[in-house]
Amino acid sequence: MKIHHLNCGTMTPPAAPRMVAHCLLLETARDLVLVDTGFALGEDRLEAAFLRTARPSLDPAESAVRQLRDLGLDPEDVRHIVLTHLDPDHAGGLRDFPHARVHVHAAELAAATRPGGGLAQRRRYLPAQWAHGPDWAPYDDAGEELYGLRARPLDGVEGVALVPLAGHSRGHSGVAVDTGDGWLLHAGDAYWFHGELSAPSHCPLTLRLAQRLVAVDHTQRLANVARLRELPEQIQVFSAHDAAELTRYTG
């Protein structure tokens, strides 16, 4: 398996470090797999509040579909997309791969697609991003033990598993990838800053406050960060938005 680490959306929130949308492109023996999609090509559906607070660049060159073409790959060969959750900076690019099967936690899919849940929940999701009717593959919390975490192998995607890490959103999950020499764990928005995995942990105040504000269960989110902090070195953990962590893999 060949693994590409992509930035599918730079963000420059006020009084905070530069943030990225860290996605993975997996070249497997059979097809291509995307882990998260970042923003869509030519994104035009984002709410004013998100644009004001996240300040995404929305550079078409950073879109996943454009980066695949730049690598000489055909977007039509992306047969599977694995989502940490359905926030717009993670699922915006779904519409650029309408033929792909989309793997996601069942609780996240329900929160994003069913009526109700209050104004805050309705505002965090953009149904237009999956208006094309994706081939959803939902999963529950059942799975196999992976260094103290629960990992659910994906149907039809060898070496990739969904790891429930709810808190940021109702069905937020990490995505574990077996590299053959160990595991990568894309922790999504379980945390936003690499210092949160340190002992003692630290995080810029603006990011700390923002994470508390957007989490559906901040206490559960913190508990998951503590679990990630205790993982052995056989698992390389990184989050979706920390630019320094992305640089670790891209140089």
Side-chain angles (χ1 to χ4, degrees):
M1 180 189 299
K2 187 174 183 179
I3 301 174
H4 303 271
H5 293 260
L6 309 177
N7 174 21
C8 296
T10 299
M11 293 164 278
T12 54
R18 180 177 71 93
M19 301 175 74
V20 297
H22 189 161
C23 302
L24 298 179
L25 172 62
L26 313 178
E27 294 189 56
T28 74
R30 292 193 298 179
D31 39 38
L32 302 178
V33 180
L34 267 176
V35 178
D36 277 356
T37 68
F39 295 103
L41 180 65
E43 181 61 76
D44 57 1
R45 293 174 168 86
L46 297 173
E47 289 195 342
F50 181 86
L51 292 171
R52 184 171 60 253
T53 56
R55 298 199 301 196
S57 66
L58 301 180
D59 182 354
E62 290 185 338
S63 66
V65 67
R66 179 74 64 81
Q67 292 189 68
L68 258 76
R69 292 180 179 131
D70 290 345
L71 289 168
L73 300 172
D74 187 347
E76 292 285 333
D77 291 334
V78 176
R79 309 312 305 173
H80 300 275
I81 294 174
V82 191
L83 295 177
T84 60
H85 58 304
L86 283 161
D87 282 354
D89 50 331
H90 298 260
L94 282 179
R95 65 187 187 186
D96 293 331
F97 305 94
H99 50 280
R101 192 168 199 212
V102 182
H103 305 260
V104 65
H105 196 285
E108 184 71 8
L109 183 60
T113 60
R114 294 178 185 173
L119 178 61
Q121 183 164 303
R122 291 195 300 272
R123 289 184 64 181
R124 85 179 296 161
Y125 299 116
L126 295 179
Q129 295 180 332
W130 47 86
H132 59 282
D135 177 15
W136 298 110
Y139 300 86
D140 58 22
D141 284 344
E144 305 170 359
E145 194 274 338
L146 178 67
Y147 298 104
L149 300 174
R150 184 63 61 185
R152 169 63 163 86
L154 301 185
D155 299 330
V157 189
E158 186 176 355
V160 183
L162 209 63
V163 179
L165 293 172
H168 173 75
S169 65
R170 297 196 184 281
H172 179 274
S173 301
V175 180
V177 179
D178 185 356
T179 68
D181 297 316
W183 289 85
L184 294 178
L185 178 57
H186 188 312
D189 282 13
Y191 67 96
W192 287 355
F193 186 71
H194 60 273
E196 295 177 70
L197 295 189
S198 302
S201 65
H202 62 282
C203 179
L205 177 62
T206 50
L207 297 186
R208 207 161 62 237
L209 294 176
Q211 289 184 91
R212 178 185 291 272
L213 179 65
V214 301
V216 298
D217 189 333
H218 185 62
T219 299
Q220 187 176 21
R221 187 193 75 80
L222 291 177
N224 283 329
V225 174
R227 295 166 65 202
L228 296 176
R229 199 178 293 129
E230 296 172 355
L231 289 173
E233 62 181 12
Q234 289 91 332
I235 298 188
Q236 298 181 49
V237 183
F238 56 89
S239 67
H241 296 312
D242 189 288
E245 289 180 333
L246 178 63
T247 300
R248 179 200 309 167
Y249 296 100
T250 63

